[in-house]
Short mmCIF file of all heavy atoms in Angstrom, two decimals:
data_model
loop_
_atom_site.label_atom_id
_atom_site.label_comp_id
_atom_site.label_asym_id
_atom_site.label_seq_id
_atom_site.Cartn_x
_atom_site.Cartn_y
_atom_site.Cartn_z
N TYR A 346 37.48 49.67 23.40
CA TYR A 346 36.60 50.52 24.15
C TYR A 346 35.45 49.86 24.81
O TYR A 346 34.87 50.29 25.86
CB TYR A 346 36.13 51.69 23.27
CG TYR A 346 37.10 52.76 22.97
CD1 TYR A 346 37.94 52.67 21.81
CD2 TYR A 346 37.42 53.73 23.93
CE1 TYR A 346 38.85 53.59 21.60
CE2 TYR A 346 38.31 54.74 23.65
CZ TYR A 346 39.13 54.63 22.51
OH TYR A 346 40.13 55.67 22.30
N PHE A 347 35.10 48.73 24.24
CA PHE A 347 33.96 47.87 24.86
C PHE A 347 34.43 46.38 24.96
O PHE A 347 34.04 45.49 24.15
CB PHE A 347 32.80 47.96 23.95
CG PHE A 347 32.27 49.37 23.72
CD1 PHE A 347 32.62 50.18 22.65
CD2 PHE A 347 31.54 50.00 24.68
CE1 PHE A 347 32.16 51.44 22.45
CE2 PHE A 347 31.14 51.33 24.57
CZ PHE A 347 31.52 52.07 23.42
N PRO A 348 35.36 46.24 26.04
CA PRO A 348 35.91 44.91 26.11
C PRO A 348 34.90 43.78 26.23
O PRO A 348 33.87 43.98 26.83
CB PRO A 348 36.82 45.06 27.37
CG PRO A 348 36.35 46.28 28.08
CD PRO A 348 35.70 47.10 27.02
N GLN A 349 35.30 42.57 25.78
CA GLN A 349 34.37 41.42 25.83
C GLN A 349 35.10 40.36 26.53
O GLN A 349 36.23 40.08 26.41
CB GLN A 349 34.11 40.96 24.32
CG GLN A 349 33.43 41.96 23.43
CD GLN A 349 32.00 42.32 23.86
OE1 GLN A 349 31.21 41.32 23.92
NE2 GLN A 349 31.66 43.51 24.15
N GLN A 350 34.24 39.52 27.28
CA GLN A 350 34.76 38.31 27.98
C GLN A 350 35.20 37.35 26.81
O GLN A 350 36.28 36.69 26.95
CB GLN A 350 33.65 37.65 28.83
CG GLN A 350 33.31 38.39 30.09
CD GLN A 350 34.33 38.19 31.21
OE1 GLN A 350 35.48 37.74 30.91
NE2 GLN A 350 33.93 38.55 32.48
N THR A 351 34.30 37.09 25.95
CA THR A 351 34.51 36.17 24.82
C THR A 351 34.00 36.91 23.49
O THR A 351 33.06 37.66 23.61
CB THR A 351 33.80 34.81 24.95
OG1 THR A 351 32.46 35.05 25.01
CG2 THR A 351 34.26 34.14 26.21
N PHE A 352 34.74 36.59 22.44
CA PHE A 352 34.18 37.10 21.18
C PHE A 352 34.12 35.94 20.11
O PHE A 352 35.20 35.36 19.88
CB PHE A 352 35.06 38.31 20.65
CG PHE A 352 34.83 38.69 19.16
CD1 PHE A 352 33.49 39.16 18.85
CD2 PHE A 352 35.80 38.43 18.21
CE1 PHE A 352 33.23 39.53 17.49
CE2 PHE A 352 35.47 38.78 16.89
CZ PHE A 352 34.21 39.33 16.56
N ASP A 353 32.94 35.68 19.69
CA ASP A 353 32.74 34.65 18.66
C ASP A 353 33.36 35.18 17.39
O ASP A 353 32.87 36.35 16.94
CB ASP A 353 31.28 34.38 18.58
CG ASP A 353 31.02 33.20 17.57
OD1 ASP A 353 31.87 32.30 17.49
OD2 ASP A 353 30.07 33.28 16.83
N ASP A 354 34.33 34.55 16.78
CA ASP A 354 35.15 35.17 15.68
C ASP A 354 34.85 34.27 14.38
O ASP A 354 35.70 33.63 13.93
CB ASP A 354 36.57 35.07 16.07
CG ASP A 354 37.43 35.79 14.99
OD1 ASP A 354 36.88 36.61 14.22
OD2 ASP A 354 38.63 35.39 15.04
N PRO A 355 33.61 34.49 13.79
CA PRO A 355 33.18 33.55 12.68
C PRO A 355 34.16 33.77 11.46
O PRO A 355 34.25 32.79 10.68
CB PRO A 355 31.84 33.90 12.39
CG PRO A 355 31.80 35.38 12.91
CD PRO A 355 32.63 35.48 14.04
N PHE A 356 34.82 34.84 11.34
CA PHE A 356 35.68 35.03 10.08
C PHE A 356 37.15 34.82 10.42
O PHE A 356 37.97 34.97 9.60
CB PHE A 356 35.40 36.46 9.53
CG PHE A 356 34.02 36.67 8.97
CD1 PHE A 356 33.01 37.15 9.80
CD2 PHE A 356 33.73 36.28 7.69
CE1 PHE A 356 31.79 37.28 9.30
CE2 PHE A 356 32.49 36.43 7.14
CZ PHE A 356 31.44 36.98 8.05
N HIS A 357 37.36 34.30 11.62
CA HIS A 357 38.75 33.96 12.09
C HIS A 357 39.83 35.02 11.73
O HIS A 357 40.83 34.73 11.18
CB HIS A 357 39.19 32.62 11.30
CG HIS A 357 38.09 31.54 11.38
ND1 HIS A 357 37.79 30.92 12.59
CD2 HIS A 357 37.25 31.05 10.40
CE1 HIS A 357 36.75 30.09 12.35
NE2 HIS A 357 36.45 30.11 11.06
N LEU A 358 39.45 36.29 12.34
CA LEU A 358 40.32 37.31 12.18
C LEU A 358 41.30 37.48 13.35
O LEU A 358 42.34 38.22 13.27
CB LEU A 358 39.54 38.64 12.08
CG LEU A 358 38.52 38.74 10.89
CD1 LEU A 358 37.77 40.00 10.95
CD2 LEU A 358 39.33 38.68 9.47
N GLY A 359 40.97 36.84 14.54
CA GLY A 359 41.75 36.87 15.62
C GLY A 359 42.03 38.33 16.10
O GLY A 359 43.14 38.75 16.41
N PRO A 360 40.95 39.19 16.19
CA PRO A 360 41.16 40.58 16.62
C PRO A 360 41.50 40.65 18.10
O PRO A 360 41.05 39.83 18.86
CB PRO A 360 39.77 41.19 16.38
CG PRO A 360 38.83 40.09 16.54
CD PRO A 360 39.51 38.91 16.05
N GLU A 361 42.31 41.62 18.41
CA GLU A 361 42.80 41.82 19.83
C GLU A 361 42.47 43.39 20.08
O GLU A 361 42.68 44.17 19.29
CB GLU A 361 44.27 41.63 20.00
CG GLU A 361 44.68 40.17 19.81
CD GLU A 361 44.19 39.25 20.98
OE1 GLU A 361 43.83 39.84 22.07
OE2 GLU A 361 44.13 38.04 20.77
N PRO A 362 42.11 43.68 21.37
CA PRO A 362 41.90 45.05 21.70
C PRO A 362 43.17 45.78 21.50
O PRO A 362 44.28 45.33 21.76
CB PRO A 362 41.73 44.93 23.27
CG PRO A 362 41.18 43.65 23.49
CD PRO A 362 41.78 42.79 22.54
N ALA A 363 43.16 46.90 20.82
CA ALA A 363 44.39 47.60 20.30
C ALA A 363 44.27 49.08 20.39
O ALA A 363 43.22 49.71 20.41
CB ALA A 363 44.77 47.14 18.95
N ALA A 364 45.43 49.73 20.44
CA ALA A 364 45.44 51.21 20.54
C ALA A 364 44.97 51.80 19.21
O ALA A 364 45.48 51.40 18.13
CB ALA A 364 46.89 51.66 20.83
N ALA A 365 44.00 52.76 19.26
CA ALA A 365 43.50 53.37 18.07
C ALA A 365 44.56 54.00 17.29
O ALA A 365 44.58 54.06 16.12
CB ALA A 365 42.38 54.34 18.50
N SER A 366 45.63 54.57 17.98
CA SER A 366 46.62 55.37 17.36
C SER A 366 47.41 54.48 16.44
O SER A 366 48.02 55.10 15.47
CB SER A 366 47.51 55.97 18.47
OG SER A 366 48.05 54.93 19.20
N SER A 367 47.39 53.27 16.60
CA SER A 367 48.22 52.45 15.64
C SER A 367 47.51 52.28 14.34
O SER A 367 48.08 51.81 13.34
CB SER A 367 48.33 51.05 16.24
OG SER A 367 47.04 50.39 16.57
N PHE A 368 46.26 52.72 14.30
CA PHE A 368 45.52 52.48 12.96
C PHE A 368 45.27 53.83 12.21
O PHE A 368 45.48 53.90 11.07
CB PHE A 368 44.08 51.97 13.21
CG PHE A 368 44.19 50.62 13.87
CD1 PHE A 368 43.72 50.38 15.20
CD2 PHE A 368 44.69 49.52 13.27
CE1 PHE A 368 43.83 49.16 15.81
CE2 PHE A 368 44.80 48.35 13.84
CZ PHE A 368 44.32 48.15 15.08
N VAL A 369 44.82 54.86 12.93
CA VAL A 369 44.44 56.01 12.33
C VAL A 369 45.11 57.18 12.89
O VAL A 369 44.96 57.56 13.96
CB VAL A 369 42.86 56.26 12.40
CG1 VAL A 369 42.44 57.42 11.60
CG2 VAL A 369 42.05 54.96 12.00
N GLN A 370 45.86 57.89 12.09
CA GLN A 370 46.63 59.06 12.57
C GLN A 370 45.65 60.12 12.94
O GLN A 370 44.62 60.34 12.32
CB GLN A 370 47.44 59.48 11.33
CG GLN A 370 48.62 60.41 11.76
CD GLN A 370 49.51 60.84 10.65
OE1 GLN A 370 49.10 60.54 9.40
NE2 GLN A 370 50.57 61.50 10.90
N GLY A 371 45.96 60.79 14.13
CA GLY A 371 45.21 61.91 14.51
C GLY A 371 44.00 61.50 15.25
O GLY A 371 43.24 62.41 15.71
N PHE A 372 43.73 60.19 15.50
CA PHE A 372 42.51 59.73 16.18
C PHE A 372 42.70 60.23 17.63
O PHE A 372 43.76 60.05 18.26
CB PHE A 372 42.43 58.25 16.15
CG PHE A 372 41.26 57.66 16.93
CD1 PHE A 372 40.04 57.71 16.42
CD2 PHE A 372 41.52 57.24 18.25
CE1 PHE A 372 38.93 57.14 17.27
CE2 PHE A 372 40.47 56.71 19.07
CZ PHE A 372 39.17 56.66 18.45
N ASN A 373 41.63 60.85 18.23
CA ASN A 373 41.61 61.34 19.62
C ASN A 373 41.19 60.13 20.54
O ASN A 373 39.99 59.88 20.62
CB ASN A 373 40.67 62.51 19.74
CG ASN A 373 40.57 62.88 21.27
OD1 ASN A 373 41.27 62.45 22.16
ND2 ASN A 373 39.43 63.63 21.48
N ALA A 374 42.16 59.43 21.17
CA ALA A 374 41.81 58.23 21.89
C ALA A 374 41.05 58.58 23.11
O ALA A 374 40.38 57.61 23.75
CB ALA A 374 43.17 57.54 22.32
N ALA A 375 40.88 59.89 23.50
CA ALA A 375 40.15 60.30 24.65
C ALA A 375 38.69 60.56 24.30
O ALA A 375 37.94 61.06 25.21
CB ALA A 375 40.86 61.39 25.44
N VAL A 376 38.30 60.27 23.15
CA VAL A 376 36.95 60.77 22.65
C VAL A 376 35.86 60.19 23.54
O VAL A 376 34.82 60.74 23.88
CB VAL A 376 36.68 60.43 21.20
CG1 VAL A 376 36.81 58.86 20.97
CG2 VAL A 376 35.35 60.89 20.73
N ILE A 377 36.02 58.87 23.93
CA ILE A 377 35.13 58.31 24.93
C ILE A 377 36.02 57.50 25.93
O ILE A 377 37.10 57.13 25.61
CB ILE A 377 34.10 57.26 24.35
CG1 ILE A 377 34.63 56.17 23.57
CG2 ILE A 377 33.11 58.10 23.36
CD1 ILE A 377 33.73 55.06 23.23
N PRO A 378 35.46 57.24 27.11
CA PRO A 378 36.25 56.45 28.08
C PRO A 378 36.21 54.89 27.57
O PRO A 378 35.35 54.50 26.78
CB PRO A 378 35.55 56.55 29.39
CG PRO A 378 34.15 57.05 29.07
CD PRO A 378 34.18 57.67 27.70
N GLU A 379 37.11 54.15 28.08
CA GLU A 379 37.07 52.70 27.86
C GLU A 379 36.10 52.23 28.85
O GLU A 379 36.11 52.39 30.03
CB GLU A 379 38.45 52.05 28.13
CG GLU A 379 39.48 52.52 27.02
CD GLU A 379 40.87 51.94 27.20
OE1 GLU A 379 41.03 50.91 27.81
OE2 GLU A 379 41.82 52.58 26.65
N HIS A 380 35.11 51.46 28.29
CA HIS A 380 33.94 50.97 29.12
C HIS A 380 34.26 49.71 29.86
O HIS A 380 35.23 49.03 29.49
CB HIS A 380 32.71 50.84 28.26
CG HIS A 380 32.13 52.15 27.85
ND1 HIS A 380 32.73 53.15 27.14
CD2 HIS A 380 30.85 52.62 28.12
CE1 HIS A 380 31.98 54.16 27.01
NE2 HIS A 380 30.79 53.97 27.53
N GLU A 381 33.42 49.35 30.73
CA GLU A 381 33.60 48.03 31.48
C GLU A 381 33.04 46.90 30.62
O GLU A 381 32.20 47.18 29.78
CB GLU A 381 32.89 48.10 32.88
CG GLU A 381 33.57 49.07 33.83
CD GLU A 381 32.79 49.17 35.07
OE1 GLU A 381 31.86 48.46 35.32
OE2 GLU A 381 33.13 50.04 35.98
N VAL A 382 33.57 45.73 30.93
CA VAL A 382 33.00 44.59 30.33
C VAL A 382 31.51 44.52 30.65
O VAL A 382 31.08 44.72 31.76
CB VAL A 382 33.75 43.22 30.85
CG1 VAL A 382 33.03 42.03 30.31
CG2 VAL A 382 35.15 43.26 30.40
N GLY A 383 30.71 44.27 29.59
CA GLY A 383 29.28 44.19 29.76
C GLY A 383 28.50 45.30 29.26
O GLY A 383 27.32 45.28 29.07
#
Side-chain angles (χ1 to χ4, degrees):
Chain A
Y346 285 95
F347 301 98
Q349 301 289 304
Q350 288 283 17
T351 59
F352 168 64
D353 183 38
D354 185 20
F356 294 91
H357 311 295
L358 300 175
E361 294 290 340
S366 55
S367 60
F368 300 113
V369 185
Q370 201 179 5
F372 176 86
N373 170 19
V376 61
I377 60 166
E379 293 178 25
H380 285 61
E381 290 178 8
V382 172

